[in-house]
Amino acid sequence: MSEKTRRTRALAAGAGVAVAALVLAGCTTTATPDAGASSGGTITIATTNAFTSFNGDTPEANLDTNGMVGYLTGVSGGLGLGGFQRLDKDFSVLDNTDFGTYEKISDDPLTVKYTINEGLTWSDGEPINADDMLVNWAINSGYYDDAKLDPASGEVTNGGTQYFTLAGSTAGLDTTAFPEISDDNMSMTLVYSKPFVDFELVNPIGKPAHVLAEKAGVSEADFITLLKDTPKGNPEAPVAPNATLKAAADFWNTGYDVTAMPTDQSLLVASGPFIVTDFTPEQSITLGKNPNYKGSMSPKYDQLIIRFIGDANAQVTALQNGEVQAIQPQASADTLTALENANATVHSGSQLSYDHVDLSFGGVFADANVREAFLKTIPRQQILDSIIKPVNPDAEVLNSQIFLPTDGDQYTTAVAASGYDKFTEPDIEGAKALLAGATPTVRILYNTNNPNRVDSFRAIQQSAQQAGFNIVDAGSPDWSSLLGSGSYDVSIFGWISPGAGNAALPQIFKSGGGGNYNNYSNATVDTLVDESQVTTDPAQLADIKVKIDAETAKDFYGLPLFQLPGLFADNGTVQGIDYFGGQTGIVWNAQEWTLAG
């Protein structure tokens, strides 16, 4: 779910074998690509956040731009162009039969078989087979972990080991036994211990097995043998960590993070139609065609350059000057006006993304009265009116942590159950009464390069000070790397959903979840979250989500602010750009683009 959302840090969630956590929907239609359009050439676009890692599935790297690159190259643990499935414009699942097939072969127990097509290779020429599926199952299932984690701090309490650190969650991926691998090493069968609500969104393709094996100092065959011979981790009886598995995990966790174009070409290995060919930190990343890709999604143009331009006005100027051909800026009334003046083609809609204020549990907010008092000071209507209403006059304050106004009756039911709507306007006197003369110091983390977050911070600061809070500006351009660090008490950021699945719930709300940056822990919520992953009845699932929403509200978890409007624009030189409100943003159909005539 993570800017931050995969976690806008996109929240960008999200992440892992199953679809990552959070983002929003809404779209406009443009002309489909002209079959006679010219081929070849370069397309240059601009996004807001910089690229930082070739593995966007860790908590530290779960950023939207990282997720975009992972999606295009096929080496993200979620859905993408180099695995079994991806999402269509309406968030329905599109099976990629050019890569392989998957089928449910039993409901009781839930059994799913994945088969990779013969003859496929990674971009470095190595074969893609069941070794790769098994390794990524091991990464995302937590099968070998024997650590017990403290719900509040996330620290290991029993001397055990947590190997792979996921931005997402392993919830729902429990299997009754080790996966069954076919004799030809092209199929993998999973038998689940319980029904899994998101089984159709499981994509067991991510990082290549041969690269992780190399980084662990063994051959691919020996690495696979190790996985087959190593018993399932038991937190009740932890053992010394397996050195080879730990080496592979350590590399997966941090080895793909970069501050320059890698000299190690193995970091670039891809399964999708695109492969990274150049990277200039804080400026741009370039993707070319994967020469070993076998499928129908190879682009008609030669390369895609993604420039990182944080300022929306600078993006519009770059578009107007022809430095870029399409942009995905932060939506605002000023940006829309500038695009109209530039005669740009605008594609707009709702994002599956929302801004929110989270309180860190512990420290100054260990006291529920202080949490409630702070929430009473947040001027949500004022923030909405100044930031969102100029773009979307029909927007309303968001009153759910899980549902969006576009969810209709489910959203209405959740609001009635949670009571978040009671915190629309500030209640300074009520906050003062709860503080009883105390003047708590509160550090607020936000992205100083994001004008919306700056405006939200200033509005909250001014209001909270009236109640007696001492507000410390803990904003930073590196805000995403600080999430979960304990260096702040309040965070303002955005989650962005993939648009399908329920993996956001354990990622964000469960004790120790990969996106649970505020150390929230509630035993009732943990139980509800676990139930959500094995509940396949839509009505029961919706009821569970409403209960989770209500429980977080009772704990004064924080406050949702607003659903974000989305905006793409182009200068008419690229055909096929179409609005998409999910995590992959403007590049969701980049494989279909063509340069105009």
Side-chain angles (χ1 to χ4, degrees), residues 21-297:
L22 299 176
V23 183
L24 253 228
C27 44
T28 57
T29 302
T30 63
T32 55
D34 181 356
S38 60
S39 299
T42 296
I43 294 176
T44 304
I45 66 173
T47 60
T48 299
N49 295 312
F51 178 84
T52 64
S53 179
F54 289 97
N55 183 10
D57 295 333
T58 69
E60 292 74 19
N62 192 21
L63 298 164
D64 52 357
T65 305
N66 296 342
M68 289 178 181
V69 174
Y71 170 81
L72 295 170
T73 57
V75 289
S76 165
L79 307 190
L81 302 186
F84 286 92
Q85 65 278 89
R86 58 191 172 95
L87 295 181
D88 202 356
K89 178 177 172 178
D90 62 356
F91 304 104
S92 59
V93 177
L94 291 174
D95 294 335
N96 181 13
T97 54
D98 288 342
F99 184 85
T101 58
Y102 64 98
E103 60 176 326
K104 181 173 67 171
I105 57 180
S106 172
D107 280 308
D108 187 16
L110 174 61
T111 305
V112 184
K113 182 178 181 180
Y114 298 85
T115 302
I116 296 172
N117 294 344
E118 295 281 352
L120 301 185
T121 66
W122 294 95
S123 58
D124 62 357
E126 291 295 317
I128 301 175
N129 54 37
D131 290 355
D132 300 296
M133 291 194 287
L134 183 62
V135 167
N136 283 282
W137 168 83
I139 290 170
N140 288 279
S141 66
Y143 183 83
Y144 301 101
D145 292 350
D146 58 11
K148 284 186 178 180
L149 304 180
D150 181 84
S153 67
E155 298 296 323
V156 176
T157 60
N158 66 338
T161 304
Q162 181 183 29
Y163 288 98
F164 299 93
T165 306
L166 301 172
S169 171
T170 62
L173 294 172
D174 295 334
T175 55
T176 58
F178 194 83
E180 178 186 336
I181 305 301
S182 63
D183 291 341
D184 65 359
N185 202 35
M186 299 303 293
S187 295
M188 179 177 76
T189 301
L190 300 179
V191 181
Y192 289 88
S193 59
K194 298 177 182 178
F196 181 30
V197 64
D198 288 344
F199 84 89
E200 289 185 293
L201 301 175
V202 172
N203 173 39
I205 286 293
K207 298 303 182 190
H210 66 278
V211 171
L212 291 179
E214 177 191 352
K215 301 307 178 185
V218 295
S219 68
E220 181 176 335
D222 287 345
F223 191 44
I224 297 303
T225 299
L226 170 72
L227 295 182
K228 293 178 178 179
D229 292 346
T230 301
K232 178 179 174 64
N234 180 6
E236 300 303 326
V239 298
N242 182 288
T244 301
L245 186 57
K246 185 71 163 53
D250 289 348
F251 178 79
W252 188 90
N253 292 335
T254 62
Y256 284 97
D257 300 343
V258 291
T259 57
M261 180 65 179
T263 56
D264 181 356
Q265 295 297 301
S266 69
L267 272 65
L268 310 178
V269 175
S271 62
F274 293 87
I275 185 170
V276 172
T277 59
D278 195 18
F279 170 52
T280 303
E282 303 299 329
Q283 294 186 36
S284 67
I285 191 165
T286 302
L287 298 96
K289 293 183 180 182
N290 175 357
N292 285 324
Y293 173 75
K294 298 180 181 68
S296 60
M297 291 186 287

Side-chain angles (χ1 to χ4, degrees), residues 231-558:
K232 178 179 174 64
N234 180 6
E236 300 303 326
V239 298
N242 182 288
T244 301
L245 186 57
K246 185 71 163 53
D250 289 348
F251 178 79
W252 188 90
N253 292 335
T254 62
Y256 284 97
D257 300 343
V258 291
T259 57
M261 180 65 179
T263 56
D264 181 356
Q265 295 297 301
S266 69
L267 272 65
L268 310 178
V269 175
S271 62
F274 293 87
I275 185 170
V276 172
T277 59
D278 195 18
F279 170 52
T280 303
E282 303 299 329
Q283 294 186 36
S284 67
I285 191 165
T286 302
L287 298 96
K289 293 183 180 182
N290 175 357
N292 285 324
Y293 173 75
K294 298 180 181 68
S296 60
M297 291 186 287
S298 185
K300 292 183 178 179
Y301 53 99
D302 294 326
Q303 62 179 5
L304 173 65
I305 299 174
I306 303 175
R307 289 186 57 190
F308 319 133
I309 304 176
D311 182 78
N313 290 328
Q315 284 198 29
V316 175
T317 300
L319 182 69
Q320 193 169 18
N321 293 342
E323 299 170 36
V324 301
Q325 292 147 290
I327 60 176
Q328 184 178 344
Q330 181 170 276
S332 71
D334 290 343
T335 302
L336 282 171
T337 299
L339 288 170
E340 290 171 1
N341 293 336
N343 295 316
T345 300
V346 175
H347 317 274
S348 61
S350 296
Q351 288 193 63
L352 294 186
S353 180
Y354 69 97
D355 270 24
H356 52 97
V357 176
D358 291 354
L359 307 188
S360 295
F361 281 68
V364 67
F365 288 127
D367 185 339
N369 283 338
V370 180
R371 295 199 299 273
E372 183 181 4
F374 187 81
L375 298 189
K376 282 181 176 290
T377 71
I378 298 178
R380 294 200 297 157
Q381 188 66 52
Q382 174 190 335
I383 292 170
L384 179 82
D385 290 345
S386 64
I387 295 175
I388 302 301
K389 284 262 188 175
V391 183
N392 179 10
D394 298 325
E396 57 188 66
V397 169
L398 183 62
N399 288 310
S400 171
Q401 298 281 3
I402 296 173
F403 297 101
L404 296 165
T406 46
D407 290 319
D409 291 344
Q410 289 186 335
Y411 175 74
T412 303
T413 300
V415 173
S418 69
Y420 277 120
D421 56 344
K422 296 182 178 65
F423 294 90
T424 300
E425 299 284 0
D427 177 8
I428 302 301
E429 293 306 314
K432 287 181 177 179
L434 287 166
L435 291 178
T439 57
T441 295
V442 174
R443 303 161 297 171
I444 302 181
L445 174 69
Y446 64 97
N447 182 1
T448 54
N449 286 337
N450 185 318
N452 284 357
R453 308 279 159 71
V454 173
D455 290 347
S456 294
F457 165 74
R458 289 174 178 169
I460 293 170
Q461 179 186 43
Q462 293 170 5
S463 183
Q465 286 174 340
Q466 297 176 40
F469 284 99
N470 175 33
I471 301 300
V472 175
D473 185 343
S476 169
D478 299 319
W479 65 278
S480 63
S481 65
L482 297 173
L483 285 174
S485 66
S487 62
Y488 60 91
D489 307 296
V490 176
S491 56
I492 308 171
F493 67 101
W495 284 111
I496 184 167
S497 164
N502 299 277
L505 299 173
Q507 178 183 9
I508 299 172
F509 299 114
K510 187 170 182 179
S511 300
N516 185 350
Y517 298 114
N518 54 341
N519 292 325
Y520 177 67
S521 183
N522 177 313
T524 299
V525 171
D526 286 347
T527 298
L528 289 168
V529 163
D530 287 342
E531 290 176 0
S532 74
Q533 302 302 291
V534 298
T535 300
T536 55
D537 179 81
Q540 292 179 14
L541 182 59
D543 182 59
I544 288 171
K545 292 179 180 179
V546 168
K547 289 178 179 177
I548 293 173
D549 224 9
E551 285 292 325
T552 64
K554 286 194 298 184
D555 289 334
F556 308 110
Y557 173 95

